[in-house]
Amino acid sequence: MLDWIAIIAGLVLLWAILVARQLASIRLPELRWVPTPSARAPAAYADLYEQADADLRALGFAPRGWVCATDIGTGTRTPMHAYAHAHACAVALVQQPVDPARADRLVVSIGQMLADGCSLSSFRTSLIDELFDTPRHRRRSFDVDDISTLWQAHQQWRQEFAIADADDAIGTLDDIVAGMSRRFGTFVDALLAARTLRRASDGSLRLRTGTMWRLLRALRRARNGRAAAVPLEPARERALLPLVERMCERAPTRGTQWLLLAATTLLFTLLGGLLWGWTYAALIAGALLLHEGGHWLAMRVLGYRNVQVVLLPLIGGITTGVERDPRGSHRAIVSLMGPLPGIVLGWALLAFAMRGGHTGLLPAASVLLALNYLNLLPLPPLDGGHFVQSLLPRGWVWLEVLLLVAFMLATVVLIVFTQWWLLLVLVAMQATALGINFSNARLVENIRAEGDPLTLARHELDDRIVAAVVRDRPRAPPLQRLQRALRLRTLLLLRPPRVMTRIALLLVYLAAFAVPPLASPALRDTAQLWLASRGTHVTAAANARADRYLRRLREQERASAALDDAHLLAGIEAAADAQRVIDESAQPPAVTKIPDEAAFAAAQARLGSPLPAGYRELARAPQRYLLELRAPDRLVRAGDELSDWLDQWTEHGQHEVPVFATAANSDDEPSVLTRARLAQALVIGGNAEFGLLLHDAEGDACCRIIEFSDEDASGYRDLHAWLVAQHVQRTLMAEDMRELQARRASALAATATLDVDALVSALGASAHAPGWRQVDTSPRSSDSIEAAVARVGDLPDDYRALLALRNGVPAAGLLPLERIARADAAAIAQLIGTAPITRIDDDGNPQGTFNASDVASPAIVIGTWQPYRGEADVLARASVLLVRFADAPPRYLDIGRHRAYASLRALLREQLAWRRASLWDFDGTAEQERGQVRPE
């Protein structure tokens, strides 16, 4: 549900960002007025100009000629027909429509000068002009249909001002032009002074934020008051096409673009941090910036105009631009230049991290690869889909539609396979694009049937396109029809890539998928490791498995909550007994002394505060050792035990840590554990290395008992609630251990016929950490083996045979020959401890036990449980020992499992069985579950 809420919030913010970018793109023209006697009314609007001329003449206006308003910034020329009133100091200007929604209505404005220097300007249904009303330049819009009504409304408004008209005579056209130029200059200065407009860094006039908001509200009012769209004459609609084209090419200033990019990046990171965590949100935002930066650079190099980049909150990013010369090869390059930089950098970081051991770079590499490879899939509207579409030959528009259908079906299959239902948003976008592409393909085919578009002049082609669009969607809003006409023009003029260019681009696309994984086995294995560890292989079976576990957890929580302390302790003890049966390395129960009342009284007097409720009963229970609950004489304040650690905590600027209530107390508000309260809390269990059990007498009711580890804390109401959680955790763990042991036994039986060579191959193929490929995997020579014998002692024949295999030692997870080390009697005693070791024969059956005192010195360390770092670490990290006996053959001791194997084959079988039985396989279809383990 949270994902869907995030998607909805992202869509709302996407709309807001796009609106903000459009408003920031508005550039008000700085006009220069020039008399243009030779100008004429556009042919498409000749009848409307004739009607306006007759209406104005009837109202007492006389034509003075044509003027041209030229935008200094863009060079756009707008012809206007000027009229002067015979008696009032008023001027009327008539120009062709500028609003596609009112393409059948000329723009008429009436201006009048007052004696005090103020000007009055009236417009016909133009709410936007009222935004630029100033005390010296009054502007008002009237919702009227004809010019005579506009003049009447203007005269009524004029009567509100008890000031005479200006004495300036409006005679010639030059007088009108001079007056308009003078008033326009003061008008712009007034808008800048009123902070309605701002002068951008490029010198253009832009709206301020407050003006944008008022403009948005005015547009909403204007949209609500518009009548339904009616069919227009194609010639009139065609005359508006250059206007709409300029609207689509508008862009904010360079500074505004960078500011908008920074703001959207920050917003993306903040919202993403709430959902995915701050680290991954920052990584994803950085990957998106690199991705969109590739598109931006390609567009700039290939000559696109008005290239802009924004990040869309929780969705992705978008880079837009206007093509100067539509080419399929340019589109293909732009599509590839988004994912390719991220893919190259991702593989480079991955290789550097694995070769140099810089595991901190793995998250960045994984985000770069996952995001960009996903975007490179041939699924519109992803970059891979755009790439495939750009390679289609001319005239194959129907193939593009069929490909889109195939891609949509492929996306549906992907959704069913991964159970990632958020991809339905992608399907919805594809379905929308399918309808648009289908309609466009039909129109393109009809237009091409009338003749080759490339042989037509631009205005002839535009006439043909607009006529086709009007016939196809006569009731659609004119702006939508004109935007569609521009898209159709691009499709008709788009030049597909040449054959050799198409082949080269396709090879680059395929190489992005094939070359990096094949270039290095380490990279291939690392990618496989990351995908598996992130649970990328998600299937319905995996989801069902997770659901089953959650049901087990809820059922066990309900069952445990119904038990009293005695039954909870008995269940915890039974779970520990079951685990000892399964895991020989588990320690036997410790003998503990049951404290008496005198011990409790002494502890209470020493601490100066009452002991926690329920502590006495648990401390007297024989199962206290299982809970790591401290005896009364070992109870201390956390400040005494963790003084050095608390001082470091304060030095790092942290003064409190949140205590999260457990599931049973989820309705309670989270508590906060300050440094002072932590120092006063009573330590009743655990240790500083693995975590403490605290009693906070001053804490909130939900969190009097706290499990504290480093900077993480979980709170419980009392010791009984904590005991319930322990019972749930240990009962489920014992069940999981029994299941894992059964899977291990099945996998072990399946490996009964494998020899050492086959076991090594199987271990290498299923290695959890593919970094073993980075070490020297060549077979060891007899000279190097004899040198090792001289250093550490004799080596068994089966170990020598393993050394002779290529990849043998690293695949088995053992140390290279040059790094094996001797362990003397003291080291043997420290590594083995006091627990008995079980002997295992070559078939995997137990054959009694032995202790550390039975082992002859020296032993040889041939394996470590963490990556090797130096000679000093070998003994501290030892995991596999080659142990000798005075009266028996040597054995391979797995220290972690407390098992000593009669042969290296038996050790490798055990390693492979546990590896196959582990939860490494995320899709629930592990080979050991099917009772099959294939020799590799």
Side-chain angles (χ1 to χ4, degrees), residues 703-726:
C703 305
R704 296 289 171 81
I705 301 298
I706 300 173
E707 280 185 335
F708 182 82
S709 175
D710 196 8
E711 298 179 0
D712 186 20
S714 300
Y716 303 87
R717 293 181 184 276
D718 49 32
L719 277 171
H720 175 75
W722 172 76
L723 194 61
V724 168
Q726 293 294 310

PDB file of all heavy atoms in Angstrom, residues 703-726:
ATOM      1  N   CYS A 703       8.357   0.478  27.237  1.00  0.00           N
ATOM      2  CA  CYS A 703       9.769   0.166  27.025  1.00  0.00           C
ATOM      3  C   CYS A 703      10.555   0.160  28.332  1.00  0.00           C
ATOM      4  O   CYS A 703      11.635   0.752  28.433  1.00  0.00           O
ATOM      5  CB  CYS A 703      10.390   1.178  26.050  1.00  0.00           C
ATOM      6  SG  CYS A 703       9.526   1.301  24.479  1.00  0.00           S
ATOM      7  N   ARG A 704      10.043  -0.513  29.364  1.00  0.00           N
ATOM      8  CA  ARG A 704      10.781  -0.608  30.617  1.00  0.00           C
ATOM      9  C   ARG A 704      11.948  -1.595  30.500  1.00  0.00           C
ATOM     10  O   ARG A 704      12.984  -1.422  31.123  1.00  0.00           O
ATOM     11  CB  ARG A 704       9.843  -1.037  31.745  1.00  0.00           C
ATOM     12  CG  ARG A 704       8.743  -0.028  32.046  1.00  0.00           C
ATOM     13  CD  ARG A 704       9.316   1.206  32.722  1.00  0.00           C
ATOM     14  NE  ARG A 704       8.349   2.272  32.841  1.00  0.00           N
ATOM     15  CZ  ARG A 704       7.411   2.349  33.802  1.00  0.00           C
ATOM     16  NH1 ARG A 704       7.332   1.379  34.694  1.00  0.00           N
ATOM     17  NH2 ARG A 704       6.587   3.358  33.850  1.00  0.00           N
ATOM     18  N   ILE A 705      11.769  -2.656  29.709  1.00  0.00           N
ATOM     19  CA  ILE A 705      12.829  -3.620  29.442  1.00  0.00           C
ATOM     20  C   ILE A 705      13.337  -3.358  28.026  1.00  0.00           C
ATOM     21  O   ILE A 705      12.550  -3.311  27.076  1.00  0.00           O
ATOM     22  CB  ILE A 705      12.326  -5.064  29.581  1.00  0.00           C
ATOM     23  CG1 ILE A 705      11.786  -5.299  30.983  1.00  0.00           C
ATOM     24  CG2 ILE A 705      13.442  -6.036  29.273  1.00  0.00           C
ATOM     25  CD1 ILE A 705      12.810  -5.129  32.089  1.00  0.00           C
ATOM     26  N   ILE A 706      14.658  -3.189  27.887  1.00  0.00           N
ATOM     27  CA  ILE A 706      15.226  -2.766  26.603  1.00  0.00           C
ATOM     28  C   ILE A 706      16.336  -3.726  26.202  1.00  0.00           C
ATOM     29  O   ILE A 706      17.239  -4.019  26.999  1.00  0.00           O
ATOM     30  CB  ILE A 706      15.787  -1.326  26.694  1.00  0.00           C
ATOM     31  CG1 ILE A 706      14.670  -0.343  27.071  1.00  0.00           C
ATOM     32  CG2 ILE A 706      16.438  -0.914  25.377  1.00  0.00           C
ATOM     33  CD1 ILE A 706      15.174   1.052  27.341  1.00  0.00           C
ATOM     34  N   GLU A 707      16.250  -4.228  24.980  1.00  0.00           N
ATOM     35  CA  GLU A 707      17.361  -4.946  24.364  1.00  0.00           C
ATOM     36  C   GLU A 707      18.193  -3.923  23.610  1.00  0.00           C
ATOM     37  O   GLU A 707      17.739  -3.346  22.625  1.00  0.00           O
ATOM     38  CB  GLU A 707      16.850  -6.033  23.413  1.00  0.00           C
ATOM     39  CG  GLU A 707      16.403  -7.296  24.102  1.00  0.00           C
ATOM     40  CD  GLU A 707      16.024  -8.377  23.104  1.00  0.00           C
ATOM     41  OE1 GLU A 707      15.665  -8.017  21.968  1.00  0.00           O
ATOM     42  OE2 GLU A 707      16.082  -9.556  23.453  1.00  0.00           O
ATOM     43  N   PHE A 708      19.424  -3.693  24.074  1.00  0.00           N
ATOM     44  CA  PHE A 708      20.242  -2.606  23.542  1.00  0.00           C
ATOM     45  C   PHE A 708      21.498  -3.179  22.909  1.00  0.00           C
ATOM     46  O   PHE A 708      22.222  -3.959  23.531  1.00  0.00           O
ATOM     47  CB  PHE A 708      20.611  -1.633  24.664  1.00  0.00           C
ATOM     48  CG  PHE A 708      21.416  -0.452  24.196  1.00  0.00           C
ATOM     49  CD1 PHE A 708      20.797   0.643  23.625  1.00  0.00           C
ATOM     50  CD2 PHE A 708      22.798  -0.438  24.318  1.00  0.00           C
ATOM     51  CE1 PHE A 708      21.538   1.730  23.188  1.00  0.00           C
ATOM     52  CE2 PHE A 708      23.543   0.639  23.890  1.00  0.00           C
ATOM     53  CZ  PHE A 708      22.906   1.724  23.319  1.00  0.00           C
ATOM     54  N   SER A 709      21.746  -2.800  21.651  1.00  0.00           N
ATOM     55  CA  SER A 709      22.952  -3.228  20.954  1.00  0.00           C
ATOM     56  C   SER A 709      23.449  -2.071  20.111  1.00  0.00           C
ATOM     57  O   SER A 709      22.760  -1.636  19.181  1.00  0.00           O
ATOM     58  CB  SER A 709      22.664  -4.440  20.065  1.00  0.00           C
ATOM     59  OG  SER A 709      23.779  -4.785  19.299  1.00  0.00           O
ATOM     60  N   ASP A 710      24.623  -1.558  20.461  1.00  0.00           N
ATOM     61  CA  ASP A 710      25.216  -0.431  19.748  1.00  0.00           C
ATOM     62  C   ASP A 710      24.241   0.743  19.739  1.00  0.00           C
ATOM     63  O   ASP A 710      23.998   1.352  20.773  1.00  0.00           O
ATOM     64  CB  ASP A 710      25.613  -0.856  18.343  1.00  0.00           C
ATOM     65  CG  ASP A 710      26.562   0.134  17.701  1.00  0.00           C
ATOM     66  OD1 ASP A 710      27.001   1.043  18.401  1.00  0.00           O
ATOM     67  OD2 ASP A 710      26.853  -0.012  16.507  1.00  0.00           O
ATOM     68  N   GLU A 711      23.627   1.047  18.564  1.00  0.00           N
ATOM     69  CA  GLU A 711      22.697   2.172  18.487  1.00  0.00           C
ATOM     70  C   GLU A 711      21.290   1.707  18.145  1.00  0.00           C
ATOM     71  O   GLU A 711      20.477   2.476  17.643  1.00  0.00           O
ATOM     72  CB  GLU A 711      23.185   3.182  17.443  1.00  0.00           C
ATOM     73  CG  GLU A 711      24.536   3.779  17.778  1.00  0.00           C
ATOM     74  CD  GLU A 711      25.006   4.746  16.716  1.00  0.00           C
ATOM     75  OE1 GLU A 711      24.268   4.933  15.748  1.00  0.00           O
ATOM     76  OE2 GLU A 711      26.102   5.302  16.866  1.00  0.00           O
ATOM     77  N   ASP A 712      20.990   0.469  18.418  1.00  0.00           N
ATOM     78  CA  ASP A 712      19.685  -0.089  18.116  1.00  0.00           C
ATOM     79  C   ASP A 712      19.061  -0.566  19.421  1.00  0.00           C
ATOM     80  O   ASP A 712      19.750  -1.148  20.268  1.00  0.00           O
ATOM     81  CB  ASP A 712      19.821  -1.254  17.135  1.00  0.00           C
ATOM     82  CG  ASP A 712      18.465  -1.772  16.695  1.00  0.00           C
ATOM     83  OD1 ASP A 712      17.487  -1.021  16.836  1.00  0.00           O
ATOM     84  OD2 ASP A 712      18.397  -2.926  16.230  1.00  0.00           O
ATOM     85  N   ALA A 713      17.782  -0.328  19.614  1.00  0.00           N
ATOM     86  CA  ALA A 713      17.131  -0.695  20.869  1.00  0.00           C
ATOM     87  C   ALA A 713      15.698  -1.111  20.602  1.00  0.00           C
ATOM     88  O   ALA A 713      15.004  -0.493  19.796  1.00  0.00           O
ATOM     89  CB  ALA A 713      17.173   0.470  21.855  1.00  0.00           C
ATOM     90  N   SER A 714      15.262  -2.177  21.276  1.00  0.00           N
ATOM     91  CA  SER A 714      13.881  -2.651  21.201  1.00  0.00           C
ATOM     92  C   SER A 714      13.328  -2.685  22.615  1.00  0.00           C
ATOM     93  O   SER A 714      14.004  -3.135  23.551  1.00  0.00           O
ATOM     94  CB  SER A 714      13.809  -4.055  20.587  1.00  0.00           C
ATOM     95  OG  SER A 714      14.339  -4.043  19.275  1.00  0.00           O
ATOM     96  N   GLY A 715      12.101  -2.208  22.771  1.00  0.00           N
ATOM     97  CA  GLY A 715      11.518  -2.071  24.102  1.00  0.00           C
ATOM     98  C   GLY A 715      10.391  -3.058  24.357  1.00  0.00           C
ATOM     99  O   GLY A 715       9.654  -3.435  23.440  1.00  0.00           O
ATOM    100  N   TYR A 716      10.249  -3.456  25.611  1.00  0.00           N
ATOM    101  CA  TYR A 716       9.190  -4.362  26.053  1.00  0.00           C
ATOM    102  C   TYR A 716       8.555  -3.777  27.312  1.00  0.00           C
ATOM    103  O   TYR A 716       9.204  -3.064  28.086  1.00  0.00           O
ATOM    104  CB  TYR A 716       9.742  -5.760  26.350  1.00  0.00           C
ATOM    105  CG  TYR A 716      10.466  -6.395  25.187  1.00  0.00           C
ATOM    106  CD1 TYR A 716      11.823  -6.151  24.973  1.00  0.00           C
ATOM    107  CD2 TYR A 716       9.799  -7.214  24.288  1.00  0.00           C
ATOM    108  CE1 TYR A 716      12.494  -6.721  23.896  1.00  0.00           C
ATOM    109  CE2 TYR A 716      10.459  -7.790  23.215  1.00  0.00           C
ATOM    110  CZ  TYR A 716      11.805  -7.537  23.030  1.00  0.00           C
ATOM    111  OH  TYR A 716      12.446  -8.098  21.962  1.00  0.00           O
ATOM    112  N   ARG A 717       7.288  -4.139  27.531  1.00  0.00           N
ATOM    113  CA  ARG A 717       6.586  -3.618  28.702  1.00  0.00           C
ATOM    114  C   ARG A 717       7.218  -4.114  30.004  1.00  0.00           C
ATOM    115  O   ARG A 717       7.381  -3.371  30.960  1.00  0.00           O
ATOM    116  CB  ARG A 717       5.111  -4.029  28.665  1.00  0.00           C
ATOM    117  CG  ARG A 717       4.319  -3.398  27.537  1.00  0.00           C
ATOM    118  CD  ARG A 717       2.870  -3.858  27.603  1.00  0.00           C
ATOM    119  NE  ARG A 717       2.102  -3.344  26.492  1.00  0.00           N
ATOM    120  CZ  ARG A 717       1.535  -2.146  26.449  1.00  0.00           C
ATOM    121  NH1 ARG A 717       1.657  -1.346  27.482  1.00  0.00           N
ATOM    122  NH2 ARG A 717       0.859  -1.751  25.394  1.00  0.00           N
ATOM    123  N   ASP A 718       7.544  -5.399  30.036  1.00  0.00           N
ATOM    124  CA  ASP A 718       8.084  -6.002  31.257  1.00  0.00           C
ATOM    125  C   ASP A 718       8.866  -7.248  30.864  1.00  0.00           C
ATOM    126  O   ASP A 718       8.994  -7.592  29.679  1.00  0.00           O
ATOM    127  CB  ASP A 718       6.958  -6.331  32.243  1.00  0.00           C
ATOM    128  CG  ASP A 718       5.809  -7.083  31.577  1.00  0.00           C
ATOM    129  OD1 ASP A 718       6.066  -7.857  30.632  1.00  0.00           O
ATOM    130  OD2 ASP A 718       4.654  -6.902  32.010  1.00  0.00           O
ATOM    131  N   LEU A 719       9.377  -7.955  31.858  1.00  0.00           N
ATOM    132  CA  LEU A 719      10.171  -9.147  31.592  1.00  0.00           C
ATOM    133  C   LEU A 719       9.333 -10.271  30.990  1.00  0.00           C
ATOM    134  O   LEU A 719       9.845 -11.092  30.228  1.00  0.00           O
ATOM    135  CB  LEU A 719      10.834  -9.620  32.888  1.00  0.00           C
ATOM    136  CG  LEU A 719      12.140  -8.898  33.260  1.00  0.00           C
ATOM    137  CD1 LEU A 719      12.598  -9.290  34.651  1.00  0.00           C
ATOM    138  CD2 LEU A 719      13.219  -9.181  32.231  1.00  0.00           C
ATOM    139  N   HIS A 720       8.058 -10.311  31.325  1.00  0.00           N
ATOM    140  CA  HIS A 720       7.206 -11.345  30.729  1.00  0.00           C
ATOM    141  C   HIS A 720       7.077 -11.126  29.217  1.00  0.00           C
ATOM    142  O   HIS A 720       7.167 -12.097  28.438  1.00  0.00           O
ATOM    143  CB  HIS A 720       5.823 -11.331  31.387  1.00  0.00           C
ATOM    144  CG  HIS A 720       4.853 -12.285  30.748  1.00  0.00           C
ATOM    145  ND1 HIS A 720       4.906 -13.649  30.933  1.00  0.00           N
ATOM    146  CD2 HIS A 720       3.824 -12.052  29.889  1.00  0.00           C
ATOM    147  CE1 HIS A 720       3.947 -14.229  30.228  1.00  0.00           C
ATOM    148  NE2 HIS A 720       3.268 -13.283  29.595  1.00  0.00           N
ATOM    149  N   ALA A 721       6.871  -9.868  28.778  1.00  0.00           N
ATOM    150  CA  ALA A 721       6.781  -9.589  27.342  1.00  0.00           C
ATOM    151  C   ALA A 721       8.092  -9.936  26.643  1.00  0.00           C
ATOM    152  O   ALA A 721       8.092 -10.485  25.532  1.00  0.00           O
ATOM    153  CB  ALA A 721       6.431  -8.122  27.115  1.00  0.00           C
ATOM    154  N   TRP A 722       9.218  -9.650  27.302  1.00  0.00           N
ATOM    155  CA  TRP A 722      10.516 -10.017  26.714  1.00  0.00           C
ATOM    156  C   TRP A 722      10.668 -11.531  26.639  1.00  0.00           C
ATOM    157  O   TRP A 722      11.180 -12.067  25.651  1.00  0.00           O
ATOM    158  CB  TRP A 722      11.627  -9.407  27.559  1.00  0.00           C
ATOM    159  CG  TRP A 722      12.993  -9.866  27.162  1.00  0.00           C
ATOM    160  CD1 TRP A 722      13.706  -9.468  26.075  1.00  0.00           C
ATOM    161  CD2 TRP A 722      13.806 -10.820  27.844  1.00  0.00           C
ATOM    162  NE1 TRP A 722      14.915 -10.104  26.036  1.00  0.00           N
ATOM    163  CE2 TRP A 722      15.008 -10.946  27.114  1.00  0.00           C
ATOM    164  CE3 TRP A 722      13.640 -11.574  29.003  1.00  0.00           C
ATOM    165  CZ2 TRP A 722      16.030 -11.802  27.512  1.00  0.00           C
ATOM    166  CZ3 TRP A 722      14.657 -12.415  29.395  1.00  0.00           C
ATOM    167  CH2 TRP A 722      15.834 -12.531  28.662  1.00  0.00           C
ATOM    168  N   LEU A 723      10.199 -12.238  27.664  1.00  0.00           N
ATOM    169  CA  LEU A 723      10.292 -13.699  27.677  1.00  0.00           C
ATOM    170  C   LEU A 723       9.431 -14.305  26.570  1.00  0.00           C
ATOM    171  O   LEU A 723       9.822 -15.293  25.930  1.00  0.00           O
ATOM    172  CB  LEU A 723       9.855 -14.230  29.047  1.00  0.00           C
ATOM    173  CG  LEU A 723      10.205 -15.690  29.366  1.00  0.00           C
ATOM    174  CD1 LEU A 723      11.707 -15.887  29.350  1.00  0.00           C
ATOM    175  CD2 LEU A 723       9.627 -16.090  30.718  1.00  0.00           C
ATOM    176  N   VAL A 724       8.273 -13.713  26.302  1.00  0.00           N
ATOM    177  CA  VAL A 724       7.424 -14.174  25.199  1.00  0.00           C
ATOM    178  C   VAL A 724       8.176 -14.043  23.873  1.00  0.00           C
ATOM    179  O   VAL A 724       8.182 -14.960  23.042  1.00  0.00           O
ATOM    180  CB  VAL A 724       6.107 -13.377  25.165  1.00  0.00           C
ATOM    181  CG1 VAL A 724       5.351 -13.629  23.862  1.00  0.00           C
ATOM    182  CG2 VAL A 724       5.233 -13.732  26.349  1.00  0.00           C
ATOM    183  N   ALA A 725       8.847 -12.888  23.659  1.00  0.00           N
ATOM    184  CA  ALA A 725       9.595 -12.688  22.417  1.00  0.00           C
ATOM    185  C   ALA A 725      10.732 -13.702  22.290  1.00  0.00           C
ATOM    186  O   ALA A 725      11.000 -14.224  21.199  1.00  0.00           O
ATOM    187  CB  ALA A 725      10.141 -11.264  22.362  1.00  0.00           C
ATOM    188  N   GLN A 726      11.406 -14.015  23.409  1.00  0.00           N
ATOM    189  CA  GLN A 726      12.471 -15.011  23.370  1.00  0.00           C
ATOM    190  C   GLN A 726      11.922 -16.390  23.009  1.00  0.00           C
ATOM    191  O   GLN A 726      12.526 -17.141  22.236  1.00  0.00           O
ATOM    192  CB  GLN A 726      13.166 -15.068  24.736  1.00  0.00           C
ATOM    193  CG  GLN A 726      13.946 -13.815  25.094  1.00  0.00           C
ATOM    194  CD  GLN A 726      15.127 -13.604  24.173  1.00  0.00           C
ATOM    195  OE1 GLN A 726      15.923 -14.505  23.949  1.00  0.00           O
ATOM    196  NE2 GLN A 726      15.235 -12.394  23.610  1.00  0.00           N
TER     197      GLN A 726
END
